[in-house]
Amino acid sequence: MQIQGYFDLRFEAVRDAFSQLFEQTQQRGAAVCVKVGGETVVDLWAGVADNAGEQAWQSDTLVNLFSCTKTFTAVAALQLVGEGKLQLDEPVARVWPEFAANGKQDITLRQLLSHQAGLPAIRQPLPPEALYDWEAMTAALVAETPWWTPGEGHGYAAITYGWLVGELIRRSDGREPGEAIVARTARPLGLDFHIGLADSEFDRVGYLTRQKNNLGDAAAQRVIKALMSDPQSLTARAFTNPPSIMNSANKPEWRRMAQPAANGHGNARSLAGFYDGLLRGELLDYQLLDEMTRENCVGEDRTLLTRTRFALGCWLDQPDVDNATFGMGPGAFGHPGAGGCIGFADPQRDVAFGYVTNTLGPYVLMDPRAQTLARVVKACVG
């Protein structure tokens, strides 16, 4: 496999590990970018971007980042907290009055950002097209009753997070959620990151396929079992209501919409640049960054059926859990995306890391491909 891009000679082992992914993991196309102390030390890409295997992955190829999007959204919300337009620990119904219905009157932004609000899924069956209708989805969430008492447990809001936090951003910023988030996070840093992709950019997007004959880890298998055997369960509803959630990511309507939980499009460079911007204090002051990266909950996740550890809009490292560590330092924070993309920062080593792929792996927590690369980066940094 021909590897394109740049690497500092101190990080040649990262280049070698990246190359090995294409030999060992059904990898079709991917990119990795690493910044240390604000300097780019790795910026590599390889493979193919299209489904036919005819279009080479380019330096500016984009990919659906799935839940990596959530931290961009959280940062925009926290900027609004810093401006006094949102409050972390006051009822969000003060900004969104209709939301108070059906036992949601005391839910806070903190609970939404840390998946403690009890709203990871919608009970009432929705049609596939509802996925693309902002008003329909926010109305469904207004009508929803929490699945548990808010603040008493947590469950990952895989996609509802986007409408919940996005609606608060829309109401307090004044712009549409995708525009507001990109303007607040990507544009100041010059990042090639989009929520609501223009049709003119579609030819840069990597086509997504799935790894074959890989059942994933035990956590992934528990989720799949719930999806198959109990379609009314919280877990199944979180991923299949509307039923178009899991099979739309290559569709133009998915790329066009702005779903601040799941359909940001970017590349490894934009992920590493975003987390480096956080480490430099360019997106949040350090007091707000400390607030964002402080543990808010840890334990059994009611949606993902495994142990998760959340701060505000980001995951925290679980060094002793093989499939729940970023693979670097215990103070690392960031967010994985479904299928394998990931962005994170390790403040201890002043490292910002981004990895993207168009070959989706079946993991609900961390993908071993990214973990392998991160561990090599750790060894190179020392």
mmCIF file of all heavy atoms in Angstrom, residues 33 35 106 126 140 148 151 158 180 197 208 225 234 236 241 289 304 319 323 381:
data_model
loop_
_atom_site.group_PDB
_atom_site.id
_atom_site.type_symbol
_atom_site.label_atom_id
_atom_site.label_comp_id
_atom_site.label_asym_id
_atom_site.label_seq_id
_atom_site.Cartn_x
_atom_site.Cartn_y
_atom_site.Cartn_z
ATOM 1 N N CYS A 33 -3.824 11.884 11.579
ATOM 2 C CA CYS A 33 -3.103 13.135 11.788
ATOM 3 C C CYS A 33 -2.812 13.277 13.274
ATOM 4 O O CYS A 33 -3.687 13.008 14.114
ATOM 5 C CB CYS A 33 -3.926 14.318 11.296
ATOM 6 S SG CYS A 33 -3.087 15.924 11.446
ATOM 7 N N LYS A 35 -0.833 15.923 16.143
ATOM 8 C CA LYS A 35 -0.133 17.169 16.467
ATOM 9 C C LYS A 35 0.425 17.045 17.877
ATOM 10 O O LYS A 35 -0.265 16.556 18.776
ATOM 11 C CB LYS A 35 -1.087 18.359 16.370
ATOM 12 C CG LYS A 35 -1.652 18.577 14.964
ATOM 13 C CD LYS A 35 -2.718 19.649 14.924
ATOM 14 C CE LYS A 35 -2.137 21.048 14.845
ATOM 15 N NZ LYS A 35 -1.630 21.392 13.510
ATOM 16 N N ASP A 106 -37.121 19.772 34.773
ATOM 17 C CA ASP A 106 -35.907 20.053 35.544
ATOM 18 C C ASP A 106 -34.621 19.615 34.832
ATOM 19 O O ASP A 106 -33.526 19.758 35.392
ATOM 20 C CB ASP A 106 -35.987 19.357 36.908
ATOM 21 C CG ASP A 106 -37.108 19.917 37.774
ATOM 22 O OD1 ASP A 106 -37.360 21.140 37.691
ATOM 23 O OD2 ASP A 106 -37.739 19.132 38.508
ATOM 24 N N LEU A 126 -41.541 6.238 14.497
ATOM 25 C CA LEU A 126 -41.466 7.348 13.553
ATOM 26 C C LEU A 126 -41.195 6.822 12.146
ATOM 27 O O LEU A 126 -40.527 5.799 11.974
ATOM 28 C CB LEU A 126 -40.340 8.303 13.962
ATOM 29 C CG LEU A 126 -40.516 9.003 15.311
ATOM 30 C CD1 LEU A 126 -39.204 9.629 15.757
ATOM 31 C CD2 LEU A 126 -41.613 10.050 15.240
ATOM 32 N N ALA A 140 -41.083 15.330 18.628
ATOM 33 C CA ALA A 140 -41.132 13.991 19.223
ATOM 34 C C ALA A 140 -40.415 13.967 20.562
ATOM 35 O O ALA A 140 -40.851 13.288 21.508
ATOM 36 C CB ALA A 140 -40.515 12.972 18.260
ATOM 37 N N TRP A 148 -35.774 7.168 32.428
ATOM 38 C CA TRP A 148 -35.458 7.021 33.851
ATOM 39 C C TRP A 148 -35.467 8.412 34.463
ATOM 40 O O TRP A 148 -35.558 9.410 33.748
ATOM 41 C CB TRP A 148 -34.102 6.325 34.061
ATOM 42 C CG TRP A 148 -32.921 7.104 33.545
ATOM 43 C CD1 TRP A 148 -32.214 8.094 34.194
ATOM 44 C CD2 TRP A 148 -32.284 6.966 32.259
ATOM 45 N NE1 TRP A 148 -31.206 8.582 33.394
ATOM 46 C CE2 TRP A 148 -31.222 7.906 32.210
ATOM 47 C CE3 TRP A 148 -32.510 6.140 31.155
ATOM 48 C CZ2 TRP A 148 -30.405 8.032 31.091
ATOM 49 C CZ3 TRP A 148 -31.698 6.269 30.040
ATOM 50 C CH2 TRP A 148 -30.652 7.212 30.013
ATOM 51 N N GLY A 151 -30.749 12.341 35.816
ATOM 52 C CA GLY A 151 -29.702 12.479 36.814
ATOM 53 C C GLY A 151 -29.435 11.215 37.603
ATOM 54 O O GLY A 151 -28.429 11.135 38.312
ATOM 55 N N ALA A 158 -27.325 8.401 21.309
ATOM 56 C CA ALA A 158 -26.531 8.290 20.090
ATOM 57 C C ALA A 158 -26.891 9.342 19.055
ATOM 58 O O ALA A 158 -26.012 9.947 18.447
ATOM 59 C CB ALA A 158 -26.707 6.888 19.499
ATOM 60 N N ALA A 180 -24.155 27.392 13.163
ATOM 61 C CA ALA A 180 -23.627 27.951 14.406
ATOM 62 C C ALA A 180 -22.421 27.155 14.902
ATOM 63 O O ALA A 180 -21.405 27.734 15.319
ATOM 64 C CB ALA A 180 -24.718 27.967 15.474
ATOM 65 N N LEU A 197 -23.545 19.270 4.644
ATOM 66 C CA LEU A 197 -22.530 19.352 3.589
ATOM 67 C C LEU A 197 -23.150 19.873 2.297
ATOM 68 O O LEU A 197 -24.213 19.414 1.883
ATOM 69 C CB LEU A 197 -21.917 17.969 3.365
ATOM 70 C CG LEU A 197 -20.648 17.889 2.536
ATOM 71 C CD1 LEU A 197 -19.493 18.597 3.237
ATOM 72 C CD2 LEU A 197 -20.283 16.427 2.257
ATOM 73 N N LEU A 208 -18.849 4.745 2.454
ATOM 74 C CA LEU A 208 -18.726 3.898 3.632
ATOM 75 C C LEU A 208 -19.112 2.451 3.332
ATOM 76 O O LEU A 208 -20.153 2.184 2.737
ATOM 77 C CB LEU A 208 -19.612 4.430 4.759
ATOM 78 C CG LEU A 208 -19.329 5.870 5.205
ATOM 79 C CD1 LEU A 208 -20.367 6.303 6.241
ATOM 80 C CD2 LEU A 208 -17.927 5.995 5.779
ATOM 81 N N LYS A 225 -27.439 -7.988 19.778
ATOM 82 C CA LYS A 225 -28.452 -8.904 20.291
ATOM 83 C C LYS A 225 -29.721 -8.148 20.681
ATOM 84 O O LYS A 225 -30.841 -8.574 20.376
ATOM 85 C CB LYS A 225 -27.911 -9.679 21.489
ATOM 86 C CG LYS A 225 -28.898 -10.688 22.049
ATOM 87 C CD LYS A 225 -28.310 -11.452 23.230
ATOM 88 C CE LYS A 225 -29.333 -12.438 23.797
ATOM 89 N NZ LYS A 225 -28.772 -13.188 24.966
ATOM 90 N N LEU A 234 -34.938 0.087 24.958
ATOM 91 C CA LEU A 234 -34.286 1.388 24.875
ATOM 92 C C LEU A 234 -33.153 1.341 23.847
ATOM 93 O O LEU A 234 -33.030 2.241 22.997
ATOM 94 C CB LEU A 234 -33.755 1.774 26.259
ATOM 95 C CG LEU A 234 -33.078 3.146 26.461
ATOM 96 C CD1 LEU A 234 -33.060 3.487 27.940
ATOM 97 C CD2 LEU A 234 -31.670 3.189 25.906
ATOM 98 N N ALA A 236 -32.586 -0.686 21.282
ATOM 99 C CA ALA A 236 -33.055 -0.811 19.899
ATOM 100 C C ALA A 236 -33.677 0.485 19.412
ATOM 101 O O ALA A 236 -33.407 0.941 18.291
ATOM 102 C CB ALA A 236 -34.044 -1.963 19.793
ATOM 103 N N ASN A 241 -35.018 4.118 15.583
ATOM 104 C CA ASN A 241 -36.210 4.954 15.505
ATOM 105 C C ASN A 241 -35.803 6.415 15.389
ATOM 106 O O ASN A 241 -35.323 6.994 16.365
ATOM 107 C CB ASN A 241 -37.100 4.755 16.743
ATOM 108 C CG ASN A 241 -38.459 5.415 16.577
ATOM 109 O OD1 ASN A 241 -38.960 5.550 15.466
ATOM 110 N ND2 ASN A 241 -39.057 5.839 17.684
ATOM 111 N N LEU A 289 -12.854 24.579 29.674
ATOM 112 C CA LEU A 289 -12.292 23.308 29.233
ATOM 113 C C LEU A 289 -12.209 22.324 30.399
ATOM 114 O O LEU A 289 -12.519 21.136 30.244
ATOM 115 C CB LEU A 289 -10.906 23.516 28.615
ATOM 116 C CG LEU A 289 -10.216 22.255 28.090
ATOM 117 C CD1 LEU A 289 -11.024 21.618 26.958
ATOM 118 C CD2 LEU A 289 -8.804 22.568 27.617
ATOM 119 N N LEU A 304 -25.764 1.501 25.737
ATOM 120 C CA LEU A 304 -24.673 0.725 25.143
ATOM 121 C C LEU A 304 -24.404 -0.585 25.870
ATOM 122 O O LEU A 304 -23.612 -1.412 25.397
ATOM 123 C CB LEU A 304 -23.398 1.570 25.090
ATOM 124 C CG LEU A 304 -23.493 2.840 24.244
ATOM 125 C CD1 LEU A 304 -22.174 3.593 24.249
ATOM 126 C CD2 LEU A 304 -23.922 2.521 22.814
ATOM 127 N N PRO A 319 -8.594 3.536 31.431
ATOM 128 C CA PRO A 319 -7.332 2.845 31.131
ATOM 129 C C PRO A 319 -7.362 1.346 31.377
ATOM 130 O O PRO A 319 -6.621 0.590 30.735
ATOM 131 C CB PRO A 319 -6.322 3.543 32.066
ATOM 132 C CG PRO A 319 -6.942 4.856 32.382
ATOM 133 C CD PRO A 319 -8.414 4.621 32.404
ATOM 134 N N ASN A 323 -11.439 -2.026 25.699
ATOM 135 C CA ASN A 323 -12.153 -1.420 24.580
ATOM 136 C C ASN A 323 -12.672 -0.028 24.898
ATOM 137 O O ASN A 323 -13.492 0.517 24.161
ATOM 138 C CB ASN A 323 -13.307 -2.320 24.139
ATOM 139 C CG ASN A 323 -14.355 -2.505 25.233
ATOM 140 O OD1 ASN A 323 -14.094 -2.220 26.396
ATOM 141 N ND2 ASN A 323 -15.526 -3.000 24.867
ATOM 142 N N VAL A 381 6.367 9.510 21.403
ATOM 143 C CA VAL A 381 6.466 10.734 22.221
ATOM 144 C C VAL A 381 7.312 10.478 23.448
ATOM 145 O O VAL A 381 8.104 11.326 23.891
ATOM 146 C CB VAL A 381 5.065 11.238 22.606
ATOM 147 C CG1 VAL A 381 5.156 12.393 23.593
ATOM 148 C CG2 VAL A 381 4.295 11.671 21.358
#
